[in-house]
Amino acid sequence: MIFADVEESCLRKFCVVLLGSTMLCTSGAALAQAAEAEAYGDAIIVTATKRAENLQDIPLAITAIGNKQLDELQVTKFEDYVRYLPSVSYQTAGPGAAKVYFRGVASGENANHSTSQPSVGVYLDEQPITTIQGALDVHLYDIARVEALAGPQGTLYGASSEAGTIRIITNKPDTSGFYGAADVEVNTVAHGGEGYIGEGFVNAPLNDRIALRVVGWYKKDAGYIDNIPGSLVFPSLEADQGTAAATLSNAPYAKNNYNDVETYGGRAALKIDLDDSWTVTPQIMGQKQNINGSFAVESGLGDLQTMQFNPERQDDDWYQAALTIEGKIGNWDVTYAGAYNKRKITAQLDYADYAYFYDALFGSGANFYDNNDDLVSPNQYIQSVDRFTKQSHELRFASPADARVRFIGGFFYQRQAHNIEQNYIVDNIADSITVPGTASDIWLTKQLRVDRDYAAFGEITADVTEKFSVTLGTRIYKYDNSLVGFFGYSDGFSSGTGVAACFAGPIVSGSPCTNVDKRTKNTDFLHKISLTYKFDDDKLIYFTNSRGYRPGGINRRGTLPPYQADFIDNFELGWKTSWLDHKVRFNGAIYQLNWSDVQLSFLGLSGLSEVRNASDARIRGVEADVMIQPVTGLTLSSGMSYNDAKITKQFCPDSGTSVDCAPSGTRLPITAKFKANALGRYEFPVGGMKAHVQGSLVYEGKRTADIRPIENFLRGELPAYTTVDMSTGVEGSRWSLELYVRNLFDKRGYTSTGVQCLETTCGDPDGLTASGGKVYRSVTQPRTIGLKLGTKF
């Protein structure tokens, strides 16, 4: 009962022209070479290792997109910047629902409330913002940079950084002077409506030791998917009461440009220099998103169309209060970083597919009747409320950065809770088949999930010679995760699940009784070994062996045991080089990831998600980026990744819902074997202003949808796609004007695919079964033309 994931000749000429100059049809990391955030001269300063260091000196695969590049690429949300990270792939069913993956580490998990934690950690400054079902959808404005750390980051970042970490670094309050900026934008989406954005920030010193920075934004995203008129006829009800009574029309909800979004929020930070050694920075950030419709197109219909029969809307509200304290004890740096996050997602979702296909195939509509024993429409919809809270605390110590032997380490604690409420509603059903305590629920999920993490970590780096250094790291961790509450039917509807399976009274408020109360915990450690050799100040190579993990958790089905942690062992050989007085930079890495005890999640009996440590996998890959500045004002950059990701042990669901097994050698889903992007920008003077023209290209290869062969066939693979963006504009000392076109050739790229129930019941992209089928594919935004005006003061 759990909603599954809803998931050219001109192009060739553009690629040849741009990449012919770079000699590599391959990005993201190259963008970092021009980043302005915290840059000193040609050095790009990042804090990925929890020290301020030159990106080119760190033996780690890092992509950093700075403030200026975020603005130049019109980045405002997650999907905008992740396109330019060649090691990253993602799925999304709309705002606030993105799942991100590094280096092909993806098993096709449906990532609902009772399955695995994410394999990629996302941070806002020093604090993690990855909730149990994914990261916050942070609007990006007045951001210093985005850092993407590829590969396991287990020692410094721990749980949910199994495959990589993304860090969003905000601009901090500044005591040097009063200044600010404001930007407004209007845009229009092909086949859709119009949108607009208003953003601004002010930095205000209160005295020579205290400064305040306030940021605000309002954004309206235009819709571009049409919910077209249609009807469903439920066979069981038709046989009993006739076609008219059995017909469900979506007329009240049919609408063009169905999926518009309203986003507004703000951020305020206060920097207080207590003295020359200690600084306190409290910060609060909050955001509200009102999301209408859905972001997937439906198989069998026209371009950018769907046919939904119940209201679809989601309100995602959250805030995060954070506190960072930095200072010195002797010549050691001391940092405390703590945060408290509260998030509430209220949603209404269509579930008519589930009702229709189960009735058409199995006659399930005959099970829904009222108090007079008359059949009612089996149409089903979901009303849900997900409440998240999260607190995290880290205390760390760092020895002097210029010492021959350097140490960084500390302690970490995190507790995140998810209060789950999902009402699966069939209107007007009899009291006897209604879940007790609800108005008309045929199924209720009311549970509390709590995930706890504890850790002590440290890394020590020794310069053995002036050119050769060694880093050793470890993280001792403990996870302690629990799930308690209720899920299922009334005892009048089912004699085996739901109320019939309860063994205690209600523990979670709002539940009729308790039929799940489980807990799992474990303690272990991770390691990291890195060897670095510097040929000179501009060239180094490194070898790293590191390990990452994802905590175990609870299977709510009583017959299944908890799933255990899974692990990734990374073997990586990388290089970072600059040439011709930093006019050419070439970085890259070759790696193998051994993924053991893979947590595979899928829909099992009764549509319940279950997780099993069912297989092992191996990923071999290469990533590279290049930046060239051939003449003054012209920058060419490009990047690529190639991942050969496959399981090394046969996986059989063995759940009674599928007879197909994935043999050893089956490709891991979601991630393309090849992903590449390229960027060219030319800046030139016009009178007293600076003008520019820019073009970028993003290529995403073909991807599979599921590791299981039959389900992958039914949902359909995701084809390769290429998008091209262009922009031009002028900038003066106070004013700027930018005209841009995103997805210039209006290409349809699909980022995820899914169905509303078991693929063998609801999924059939080619109409091969008598009931047909409905497969949904989340689509990239059509061609968007925008005009942006900005001012600085």
Side-chain angles (χ1 to χ4, degrees):
M1 296 291 296
I2 300 304
F3 192 100
D5 289 3
V6 176
E7 315 231 297
E8 179 187 81
S9 60
C10 292
L11 301 182
R12 294 193 190 98
K13 291 178 181 177
F14 180 87
C15 186
V16 168
V17 171
L18 180 58
L19 300 180
S21 301
T22 63
M23 303 173 291
L24 186 65
C25 191
T26 60
S27 115
L31 295 175
Q33 315 313 330
E36 292 185 344
E38 299 184 28
Y40 300 93
D42 291 325
I44 311 305
I45 306 303
V46 296
T47 53
T49 59
K50 304 200 175 184
R51 294 180 186 269
E53 296 183 88
N54 182 353
L55 181 145
Q56 288 296 104
D57 292 337
I58 300 175
L60 182 68
I62 305 174
T63 299
I65 306 179
N67 178 278
K68 187 171 185 291
Q69 283 64 50
L70 292 170
D71 185 58
E72 291 170 354
L73 296 169
Q74 293 83 46
V75 169
T76 62
K77 59 184 184 296
F78 169 82
E79 294 97 318
D80 294 340
Y81 69 79
V82 77
R83 299 189 307 141
Y84 293 94
L85 304 176
S87 296
V88 176
S89 55
Y90 73 99
Q91 290 182 297
T92 182
K99 292 168 285 185
V100 58
Y101 311 96
F102 270 89
R103 290 182 171 176
V105 179
S107 60
E109 60 267 21
N110 53 20
N112 73 15
H113 53 76
S114 60
T115 59
S116 305
Q117 288 190 23
S119 64
V120 173
V122 181
Y123 280 69
L124 180 63
D125 294 319
E126 296 283 348
Q127 292 82 11
I129 57 171
T130 310
T131 58
I132 290 170
Q133 281 188 250
L136 303 177
D137 192 0
V138 178
H139 179 82
L140 300 184
Y141 182 72
D142 191 40
I143 299 296
R145 63 187 177 278
V146 174
E147 299 176 1
L149 290 60
Q153 307 298 321
T155 53
L156 291 183
Y157 292 95
S160 290
S161 284
E162 178 183 39
T165 300
I166 292 176
R167 305 177 71 236
I168 301 169
I169 310 299
T170 61
N171 284 318
K172 304 301 186 294
D174 176 11
T175 58
S176 67
F178 178 88
Y179 57 90
D183 297 273
V184 294
E185 176 186 323
V186 293
N187 56 67
T188 182
V189 181
H191 322 286
E194 285 69 48
Y196 45 88
I197 306 174
E199 307 164 305
F201 81 89
V202 172
N203 183 90
L206 304 182
N207 57 44
D208 60 352
R209 288 190 176 272
I210 303 176
L212 174 68
R213 196 177 191 103
V214 179
V215 187
W217 57 87
Y218 179 89
K219 180 183 181 185
K220 179 65 179 292
D221 289 314
Y224 48 86
I225 293 176
D226 297 337
N227 189 24
I228 64 172
S231 62
L232 290 175
V233 179
F234 294 104
S236 295
L237 192 61
E238 183 180 31
D240 185 69
Q241 300 178 13
T243 302
T247 300
L248 176 68
S249 171
N250 73 342
Y253 314 112
K255 180 183 177 183
N256 290 338
N257 306 330
Y258 184 53
N259 59 323
D260 58 300
V261 181
E262 181 185 44
T263 304
Y264 54 92
R267 184 177 79 243
L270 188 67
K271 178 184 177 183
I272 306 170
D273 293 328
L274 300 177
D275 55 30
D276 293 338
S277 299
W278 289 87
T279 298
V280 177
T281 308
Q283 177 173 288
I284 188 165
M285 182 175 182
Q287 182 174 281
K288 183 178 179 67
Q289 281 188 309
N290 301 320
I291 304 160
N292 294 312
S294 60
F295 285 74
V297 296
E298 185 178 319
S299 61
L301 302 180
D303 185 34
L304 298 174
Q305 290 183 344
T306 190
M307 189 187 295
Q308 300 300 287
F309 291 85
N310 294 287
E312 292 189 299
R313 178 182 170 88
Q314 179 172 294
D315 295 325
D316 186 353
D317 305 334
W318 59 266
Y319 73 84
Q320 175 157 299
L323 176 65
T324 304
I325 303 173
E326 300 168 288
K328 285 185 175 293
I329 298 178
N331 60 354
W332 281 57
D333 294 323
V334 180
T335 302
Y336 164 78
Y340 177 80
N341 177 266
K342 190 171 184 178
R343 184 183 190 187
K344 179 181 178 182
I345 303 175
T346 304
Q348 300 180 76
L349 302 170
D350 181 75
Y351 211 40
D353 288 4
Y354 181 97
Y356 172 76
F357 286 112
Y358 271 90
D359 190 30
L361 293 174
F362 310 116
S364 64
N367 298 322
F368 303 102
Y369 50 86
D370 61 20
N371 286 329
N372 296 320
D373 291 330
D374 295 325
L375 291 186
V376 299
S377 172
N379 173 48
Q380 199 165 151
Y381 58 95
I382 304 170
Q383 293 180 347
S384 64
V385 182
D386 292 278
R387 297 175 176 88
F388 303 87
T389 60
K390 178 170 186 168
Q391 60 172 301
S392 64
H393 307 272
E394 180 172 296
L395 177 65
R396 68 175 182 268
F397 307 88
S399 65
D402 56 356
R404 186 167 181 175
V405 177
R406 303 173 293 281
F407 171 82
I408 187 166
F411 305 94
F412 177 80
Y413 167 72
Q414 174 178 275
R415 183 187 189 275
Q416 49 184 335
H418 182 185
N419 190 312
I420 307 155
E421 178 182 335
Q422 293 191 330
N423 301 277
Y424 290 76
I425 300 171
V426 178
D427 288 331
N428 304 314
I429 57 175
D431 296 340
S432 61
I433 60 174
T434 298
V435 177
T438 70
S440 198
D441 281 19
I442 192 66
W443 175 287
L444 170 68
T445 299
K446 193 71 177 77
Q447 299 170 335
L448 178 64
R449 173 176 175 173
V450 181
D451 290 19
R452 312 162 188 85
D453 298 284
Y454 312 81
F457 63 92
E459 285 189 1
I460 187 168
T461 299
D463 296 331
V464 180
T465 70
E466 290 185 356
K467 295 187 175 183
F468 178 64
S469 61
V470 178
T471 297
L472 302 175
T474 190
R475 188 181 189 97
I476 302 170
Y477 68 84
K478 175 183 177 181
Y479 67 80
D480 182 356
N481 300 334
S482 61
L483 182 69
V484 61
F486 173 85
F487 67 99
Y489 302 105
S490 73
D491 54 359
F493 191 84
S494 171
S495 61
T497 61
V499 173
C502 282
F503 50 78
I507 296 175
V508 177
S509 177
S511 63
C513 51
T514 300
N515 58 17
V516 60
D517 188 358
K518 297 182 180 181
R519 194 164 186 168
T520 184
K521 60 181 72 175
N522 193 33
T523 301
D524 207 335
F525 74 95
L526 308 170
H527 71 273
K528 176 181 177 180
I529 302 171
S530 185
L531 310 176
T532 305
Y533 185 82
K534 288 190 174 184
F535 296 94
D536 54 42
D537 290 342
D538 294 329
K539 302 174 187 64
L540 67 81
I541 61 171
Y542 66 89
F543 172 79
T544 296
N545 170 220
S546 58
R547 178 170 248 214
Y549 89 108
R550 183 167 47 169
I554 300 301
N555 272 303
R556 58 181 173 160
R557 189 192 299 277
T559 57
L560 294 177
Y563 54 92
Q564 303 305 308
D566 59 3
F567 298 90
I568 290 179
D569 290 293
N570 175 49
F571 301 88
E572 179 176 336
L573 178 65
W575 63 92
K576 294 191 173 183
T577 64
S578 298
W579 308 81
L580 302 178
D581 195 25
H582 299 173
K583 288 183 173 60
V584 177
R585 294 182 182 176
F586 178 48
N587 298 340
I590 301 170
Y591 47 85
Q592 175 166 317
L593 307 179
N594 296 330
W595 190 5
S596 57
D597 297 323
V598 177
Q599 295 174 8
L600 287 166
S601 60
F602 52 92
L603 293 181
L605 287 172
S606 302
L608 280 178
S609 295
E610 53 188 68
V611 185
R612 303 191 182 197
N613 299 97
S615 190
D616 296 330
R618 186 266 299 150
I619 301 154
R620 290 174 179 159
V622 59
E623 56 198 23
D625 66 80
V626 62
M627 183 278 295
I628 302 175
Q629 294 176 319
V631 296
T632 301
L634 177 62
T635 300
L636 303 173
S637 60
S638 57
M640 60 77 66
S641 69
Y642 176 85
N643 288 287
D644 179 19
K646 58 186 65 175
I647 63 171
T648 57
K649 183 171 71 176
Q650 177 176 270
F651 166 60
C652 293
D654 191 27
S655 64
T657 62
S658 177
V659 296
D660 63 315
C661 294
S664 175
T666 298
R667 179 179 168 187
L668 290 176
I670 312 305
T671 301
K673 284 190 175 181
F674 184 70
K675 178 181 178 180
N677 54 42
L679 172 70
R681 183 179 178 89
Y682 181 60
E683 297 180 346
F684 53 94
V686 174
M689 307 182 74
K690 181 173 66 177
H692 71 269
V693 292
Q694 177 176 287
S696 64
L697 175 150
V698 176
Y699 171 82
E700 184 87 32
K702 183 174 69 173
R703 293 136 290 148
T704 58
D706 199 290
I707 199 170
R708 298 164 293 169
I710 291 177
E711 286 76 3
N712 183 61
F713 168 75
L714 291 174
R715 288 166 61 183
E717 295 189 350
L718 298 168
Y721 67 94
T722 302
T723 58
V724 172
D725 300 347
M726 303 292 291
S727 66
T728 186
V730 293
E731 180 180 359
S733 59
R734 290 190 57 190
W735 295 93
S736 62
L737 184 67
E738 177 111 26
L739 174 67
Y740 69 85
V741 182
R742 300 176 63 180
N743 194 2
L744 176 65
F745 298 104
D746 199 24
K747 293 298 180 181
R748 300 289 174 266
Y750 300 107
T751 60
S752 66
T753 179
V755 292
Q756 283 191 10
C757 61
L758 293 176
E759 289 85 354
T760 49
T761 300
C762 288
D764 188 353
D766 300 310
L768 300 179
T769 66
S771 64
K774 283 192 177 185
V775 175
Y776 298 90
R777 295 182 176 92
S778 298
V779 64
T780 56
Q781 186 164 308
R783 178 174 56 243
T784 302
I785 301 173
L787 183 66
K788 184 175 182 179
L789 175 66
T791 183
K792 300 176 182 179
F793 53 87

